[in-house]
Amino acid sequence: MNSYMVLIQIADATVRVSVPLLLAALAGLYSERSGIFDIGLEGKMLAGAFAAGAAAYVSGSAWVGLGVAIIVSIAMSLVHGVASISYRGNQIVSGVAINFIASGSTVILGQAWFQQGGRTPSVSGAARFGDIALPGANAIRPIPIVGPIYSNVISGHSIIVYFAFLMVPFTWWVLFRTRFGLRLRAVGENPAAVDTAGISVAWLRYRAVICTGILTGVAGAYLSIAQQASFVKDMSAGRGFIALAALIFAKWKPVPVMLACLLFGFLDAISIRYQGIALPGIGKLPAQLMQALPYVLTCVLLAGFIGKAIPPRAGGVPYVKER
Amino acid sequence: MSTPYAKLPGWVDYGLIPLINVVVAFLVAGLVVLIVGENPFEAAVILVKGALGGGQNIAYTLYYATNFIFTGLAVAVAFHCGLFNIGGEGQAYVGGLGLSIVCLSLDTTFPWWINFPLAIVATALFGALWALIPAYLQARRGSHIVITTIMFNFIAASLMVYLLVGPLKAANTMAPQTRDFLPGGQLPKLNFIFDALGMTVRSAPFNVSFLLALAASVFVWALVWRTRFGYELRTMGFSPEAARYAGINESRIIIITMLISGALAGLMSINVVMGDQHHVALDFASGAGFVGIAVALMGRSHPFGIIPAAILFGMLYQGGADLSFEMPEISRDMIVIIQGLVILFAGALEHMFRPAIQTIFASLSPRSVGIAAKAEAR
C-alpha cells in the first residue's frame, strides 16, 4: 500500500506541474494553427506571472491578479501580432524579442516597485488561488484504491487546474466544431483560400494570437499565485519552450497535447521526487542529471522517433495579399 | 497601392533604416527608464560617460565588445544559412570546458603563446560539438533548431554545474569553480595601447582575444562572401528549394554551418576565462550568447556591422555597471530589455518604417526608388 501512496503522490505532482505546460501548449495551439509560430510563449507566461503576482499583492484579490495577467499577456501577444501579421516580420525573431523583453522588464519593474530583488511580495488568503476540495473527497478517502485517486489526484487543486483540463475539450470543440475554428485552421493551411472567400486573414490571425495571450496569461497566473505564492525572477524556467515541444510532439491536436504535457509533467515530477535519492541497481544519480532530464527528453521526443510532425502548411509565412 | 519593399538606395537600406530601427529601440528603452522613475537623459549621460570616459572605461567596453563580436558572428553565420542558433550561450559555456582541459593540464608546462592556439582549438571544438547534435537533429530528423538549441542551453547549464561542483572543483575552495590558472593560462593585456595614447588604465581585462575576435570577423567575411561554401550557405539561406535544385547537399551545409557557429561561440570563453577570470566559474558566459542575437540583427549579419554593434553593447555593459551604481533601480537587467527591443525593432519589425521612408523618397526623387525606371522598362 505504501508504494501505492507513492504512485498517488507522483500522480498528484504530475497534475500540478503539467498545468502550466498544458495552458501554454494550448495557447500555442491557437496561434500555430492559424499560421503564426510563437516562440514567445515563455515570455508571455513570465510577464503574466509577474503581472498576477504584482496585481494580486496590490489588490488583495487573486481574480484581479488573473485579470491583469491576461491583459498584460494579450498586450504582448499583440506586439507579436503586429510584428508578424501587419509588418510581416520574422516570427521566430519576434518571439525571441518578446522573451527578452519579458525577462528583463519583470525584474526591473519588480525591483522598482517592490524592492525585493525582482521578486513580488508573498501573497496569501484571497490573493491566491487556494486548493478546492471536491464534494465528498473526505468521505471517499478511506475506500482503498479509488479513494486516494479521487481525494488526492482529482480533488484538492486550485480552480486553474480544472480550468486547464476543461480547456482541452473546449479547444477541441472550438477548433473542430465551430465556424471560427474551421477558418482558423484554414488560415494556417492556405490563407489565400480564406482570403478568396472574403474573410480577413489578418483579423483571423489577430483573434488567434489574442486567444494565445489569454491562455498564457492564465498559465502565468497559475505559476505565481496558485502554484507558488509570489513571482520569482525567471520563474517560467523554460516551460514555454517545453510546451512548444509538447505541441509539436502532439502534432498540433488538443487531446494529444494534453497527453504530451502530462508526460512531460510526469518526468518533471519524477525528477523532483528522486533528486539525490539512490535508485536500486543504478546508485545515486547526480541531481543535475535529473534536472536536465526534461530538456534531454524534449530533444529525444522532438527528434521524431514518433513519426514526422507536419506543421500547419502556412506556419511562419507572412501573408501577402497582392503579388 | 500596397507594393512595399521596392528597391531603395543602398545607403538607405543598409544605413538609414537600421539606424532608425535602433534609435526607436533606444527610445522605447528610455520610456522604461521613465516608468521606473528616473530621467532617461541623465541615464544616457551616465551611461556614455561610464563607457567612454577615460582609458579604463574604454578598455572595459572593448573587453565586453570582444565577447559580443564572437557570439554575434556565431549567430550571423547561422542566419546566413537560414538557421537561428539561440544556443550560443550553451556553446560558449561548454567551450569553457574545453578551455579548462587545456589550461588545467598545460598551464604549468607551456607559456601562454603555446596554450593560446591550443585553447582556440579546444574551445572551438567543444563549442562546435555542442552545436553538432541540434544541427544533426535539424538536418536529418527535422526537429526545429530553435527549440533544440534552447534545450541544449539548459542541458549545458546542468552539465557545467555538475562538473564545477564535482570533478573540476578546486580542492582548496568552497566555490564551484576550477583552480586559478597559472601564468601559462593567462593572456597578456592590451592596455599598453591606451597608455601609448596617453590614457591611463589601472586594471582592465582587455586582452589579446580582441585581436582574435577581429581575425574571426575577417574569417567570417571571407568564408561567407569569398568561398564556394559561403555561396552554398547563402543560397540555402535565400531559398532552400533553389539550393536543393542546384544539387547542394542540404544536411551537409546545415551541419557544417552549425559547427562553425558553435565554434565561434566557443571561442568567446577564451576572452572571459583566459583573459580575465583565470578560472572557469559558474555561468561565466552571463548572457553574452544571447546578446549575440541582438548584435547580429543590428549588424545585419555582416562582420563590418557586427563590430560596431558589439561595441555598442559593450558600452551598454560597461556603462550599465556605472549606471546601476548611480541609479540602483536600473540594474543589468535593463540590458536584457534593450536587447529584446533591438531584436524586436531591428529584427522582427525591420520593415516597419520602410513604407514611410519609401514614400518620402518617392516624392523627393522617383528615380531613386526605381519607379521611373520601371515605367521606362515597360
Side-chain angles (χ1 to χ4, degrees), chain A:
Chain A
M1 207 57 200
N2 198 16
S3 60
Y4 181 64
M5 280 317 286
V6 170
L7 265 181
I8 291 289
Q9 281 167 3
I10 291 176
D12 180 41
T14 300
V15 169
R16 281 167 200 275
V17 296
S18 312
V19 165
L21 296 178
L22 179 56
L23 286 166
L26 289 174
L29 186 64
Y30 283 93
S31 173
E32 301 221 336
R33 275 283 182 161
S34 80
I36 304 291
F37 281 157
D38 197 348
I39 198 109
L41 295 174
E42 174 87 3
K44 287 191 280 253
M45 198 163 33
L46 192 67
F50 173 73
Y57 170 73
V58 173
S59 69
S61 157
W63 291 100
V64 173
L66 180 66
V68 174
I70 290 174
I71 292 168
V72 167
S73 182
I74 290 177
M76 299 197 79
S77 292
L78 288 177
V79 172
H80 183 57
V82 167
S84 46
I85 302 168
S86 297
Y87 289 104
R88 302 181 222 157
N90 184 326
Q91 298 170 5
I92 306 278
V93 172
S94 164
V96 169
I98 298 278
N99 288 339
F100 283 122
I101 293 171
S103 164
S105 53
T106 49
V107 177
I108 289 280
L109 294 178
Q111 172 62 21
W113 291 342
F114 303 108
Q115 274 93 28
Q116 295 189 5
R119 295 173 64 107
T120 60
S122 290
V123 290
S124 57
R128 218 184 141 197
F129 287 108
D131 293 344
I132 299 170
L134 292 184
N138 281 327
I140 294 172
R141 193 183 302 272
I143 301 171
I145 312 291
V146 186
I149 292 182
Y150 181 73
S151 56
N152 290 18
V153 182
I154 297 176
S155 170
H157 295 290
S158 68
I159 190 156
I160 296 181
V161 174
Y162 301 108
F163 170 80
F165 283 95
L166 285 176
M167 276 314 289
V168 177
F170 179 75
T171 300
W172 176 84
W173 179 77
V174 167
L175 283 179
F176 296 95
R177 287 294 178 272
T178 66
R179 180 185 291 190
F180 170 66
L182 178 67
R183 288 174 175 177
L184 187 106
R185 285 181 292 134
V187 86
E189 297 291 336
N190 191 345
V194 176
D195 201 15
T196 311
I199 301 156
S200 165
V201 172
W203 172 226
L204 250 177
R205 287 186 166 170
Y206 269 112
R207 277 183 287 171
V209 298
I210 289 171
C211 293
T212 305
I214 295 171
L215 289 176
T216 46
V218 179
Y222 177 79
L223 290 177
S224 65
I225 57 174
Q227 199 177 24
Q228 314 277 331
S230 69
F231 170 82
V232 185
K233 182 184 177 180
D234 286 332
M235 78 185 302
S236 49
R239 285 188 185 88
F241 303 121
I242 294 181
L244 213 52
L247 186 60
I248 297 168
F249 182 48
K251 298 176 184 161
W252 295 271
K253 293 191 181 81
V255 176
V257 161
M258 179 184 73
L259 298 175
C261 289
L262 284 170
L263 173 66
F264 280 111
F266 173 70
L267 296 171
D268 209 11
I270 294 268
S271 72
I272 294 165
R273 188 174 178 90
Y274 289 104
Q275 251 171 43
I277 292 181
L279 292 180
I282 305 169
K284 194 175 157 183
L285 293 171
Q288 289 83 16
L289 180 69
M290 300 309 281
Q291 279 160 9
L293 202 58
Y295 307 119
V296 174
L297 281 156
T298 303
C299 291
V300 172
L301 292 180
L302 274 186
F305 297 113
I306 33 101
K308 196 161 172 60
I310 299 160
R313 207 154 59 90
V317 187
Y319 179 62
V320 185
K321 202 177 170 82
E322 292 165 37
R323 295 261 174 206

Side-chain angles (χ1 to χ4, degrees), chain B residues 66 69-70 73 116 119-120 123 187 190 207-219 264 267-268 270-271:
Chain B
T66 308
I69 293 174
F70 284 123
L73 290 173
F116 186 44
I120 292 173
T123 51
L187 292 181
L190 289 178
N207 61 75
V208 292
S209 313
F210 181 69
L211 303 178
L212 180 66
L214 295 182
S217 305
V218 175
F219 166 77
L264 286 164
L267 289 178
M268 175 242 145
I270 295 180
N271 185 43

Side-chain angles (χ1 to χ4, degrees), chain A residues 39 89 92 100 107 302-304 322, chain B residues 2 84 141 143 146 290 333 348:
Chain A
I39 198 109
I92 306 278
F100 283 122
V107 177
L302 274 186
E322 292 165 37
Chain B
S2 66
F84 196 173
R141 317 267 348 163
S143 50
V146 172
F290 297 123
D333 292 287

